[in-house]
Amino acid sequence: NSSHAAELGIEGGEIKERKAFAFAPKAEPLTSEQIGQLKKSVGFTDKPYRSLKPEWLKNFGHMVERNKWGEPVSIYYPETEDGKVVGFKIRYLPKSFSKVGRTGKHSQLAGQFIYKSAGKRVLIVGGEGDMVAAWGMLSKYGVHVVSPTCGEGSAASQCANQYDFFEQY
C-alpha cells in the first residue's frame, strides 16, 4: 500500500512485474567555485551557536546561515574525502536535513580532515554539534574528536571505512 508500490511493480500487495533495483549514481563533488560561493552566501558565524564559540565552529568548517533578524536557520557541515571538501550536509533548524554535493557514509568522519598527524587519543561522538563541544573541552589535552556524518546508526560502518585513520592512534 506504499506510495512507491507502482514504481516497484506492486499492485494490491502482489508483485505484478519484477523491477531491477538500481542505486542512484553518486553525486558529483562540489567544485572549488561552488564551495567559494557557499562561503560567500552562508559564511562563518561571528556569534555563538548553541553556546559553541564561533572560532570552534570555524575550526571544523561549520557555517551558520541566519535570517534577517540574525536567528540561525540552517547549519552547513562539510563532508570530506581525502581531506578535501566534496559536499555539505545541511541541517535546517530545528531538525531536518538536506545536502549539496557528495555526502554519505563513504565520506571521512566529520572533523577527520583537521587531523593531519596522529595523536594519542581519539573520541568518537554522536554528531557534529557534540563533536565541536567535545573538542572545545578536550583540545587542550590533545584529544582528537570526530563524528559519523550520517548518524549513530551508520557509525560502525563509517568507522570501518576509516580503519587506516584509527590505526594511527
Side-chain angles (χ1 to χ4, degrees):
N1 294 328
S2 167
S3 61
H4 299 287
E7 68 185 89
L8 297 172
I10 301 171
E11 285 180 32
E14 292 185 27
I15 299 173
K16 298 293 182 185
E17 175 187 354
R18 286 226 178 257
K19 295 199 174 186
F21 177 78
F23 285 103
K26 275 187 169 182
E28 289 296 316
L30 293 177
T31 64
S32 55
E33 292 82 21
Q34 290 170 314
I35 294 167
Q37 194 61 29
L38 274 172
K39 284 181 182 177
K40 283 181 189 172
S41 64
V42 178
F44 296 105
T45 187
D46 57 352
K47 300 179 207 170
Y49 166 70
R50 295 177 78 181
S51 299
L52 301 174
K53 295 181 180 179
E55 58 271 20
W56 296 357
L57 293 164
K58 189 173 183 177
N59 182 61
F60 288 97
H62 296 184
M63 297 186 292
V64 180
E65 184 174 33
R66 296 183 182 271
N67 63 18
K68 62 183 178 183
W69 298 283
E71 300 163 333
V73 292
S74 60
I75 315 301
Y76 286 67
Y77 303 115
E79 293 207 16
T80 58
E81 292 175 5
D82 298 321
K84 297 190 180 355
V85 175
V86 293
F88 286 89
K89 178 171 82 173
I90 307 166
R91 177 181 179 164
Y92 296 102
L93 301 174
K95 195 169 185 178
S96 65
F97 295 93
S98 185
K99 65 178 189 159
V100 61
R102 186 181 297 164
T103 63
K105 70 178 187 177
H106 295 289
S107 296
Q108 289 177 306
L109 294 156
Q112 183 177 339
F113 72 97
I114 68 172
Y115 304 114
K116 305 294 185 213
S117 59
K120 245 185 173 177
R121 294 175 188 87
V122 63
L123 173 65
I124 305 166
V125 297
E128 289 89 344
D130 297 336
M131 176 186 65
V132 174
W135 180 84
M137 292 184 297
L138 300 172
S139 63
K140 65 183 171 190
Y141 302 108
V143 177
H144 295 176
V145 186
V146 295
S147 165
T149 60
C150 299
E152 294 172 359
S154 66
S157 63
Q158 192 170 19
C159 287
N161 290 339
Q162 302 303 318
Y163 181 81
D164 291 340
F165 171 73
F166 288 112
E167 194 172 52
Q168 63 184 344
Y169 289 89

